Amino acid sequence: MEILGASLRICVDDLDTAIPFYERLSGGRALRFERGGVQVAAVGSFLLMSGPEAELEVLRKVAATIAVKDVEEARRLLDGLGARIIAGPVPTPVGHNLIAMHPDGSVFEYVDQHQD
């Protein structure tokens, strides 16, 4: 499995207020979308999230988002290494994702950017 990068997940109270700071910090523009009632902005290596507290409580348990070449390949490797797949793989607006708990208890989201 090839890891292409990682995004830091940050829950914010007000996405519109947070975005300009992270755009200037990273030198990039925010890509905004909604997922399960949560507003999300991807800005450089940051993934900003804002929404209902019940949803954010779950999202805070995920340490980081890891970009991979192929989520299905990641699933097979994670299974073989003893990780527990919590959710997915499922389609996303730009590819697929899954959430896995590693044997040490840490939780990560794995994403790819394949178009169907």
Side-chain angles (χ1 to χ4, degrees), residues 30-81:
L31 171 63
R32 293 182 71 151
F33 57 96
E34 183 178 335
R35 182 80 179 192
V38 174
Q39 297 296 315
V40 181
V43 189
S45 294
F46 302 98
L47 196 58
L48 310 175
M49 300 172 287
S50 183
E53 186 55 38
E55 296 292 328
L56 294 179
E57 184 179 334
V58 172
L59 295 173
R60 283 187 183 100
K61 295 177 182 175
V62 179
T65 297
I66 300 172
V68 296
K69 215 172 199 182
D70 184 333
V71 163
E72 188 55 39
E73 178 186 355
R75 184 198 60 75
R76 288 190 299 272
L77 179 60
L78 289 162
D79 278 342
L81 293 172

Side-chain angles (χ1 to χ4, degrees), residues 58-112:
V58 172
L59 295 173
R60 283 187 183 100
K61 295 177 182 175
V62 179
T65 297
I66 300 172
V68 296
K69 215 172 199 182
D70 184 333
V71 163
E72 188 55 39
E73 178 186 355
R75 184 198 60 75
R76 288 190 299 272
L77 179 60
L78 289 162
D79 278 342
L81 293 172
R84 183 168 61 94
I85 306 304
I86 297 172
V90 297
T92 69
V94 295
H96 297 87
N97 78 338
L98 67 80
I99 297 176
M101 180 181 289
H102 293 184
D104 63 8
S106 57
V107 178
F108 293 91
E109 175 187 35
Y110 289 81
V111 299
D112 65 25

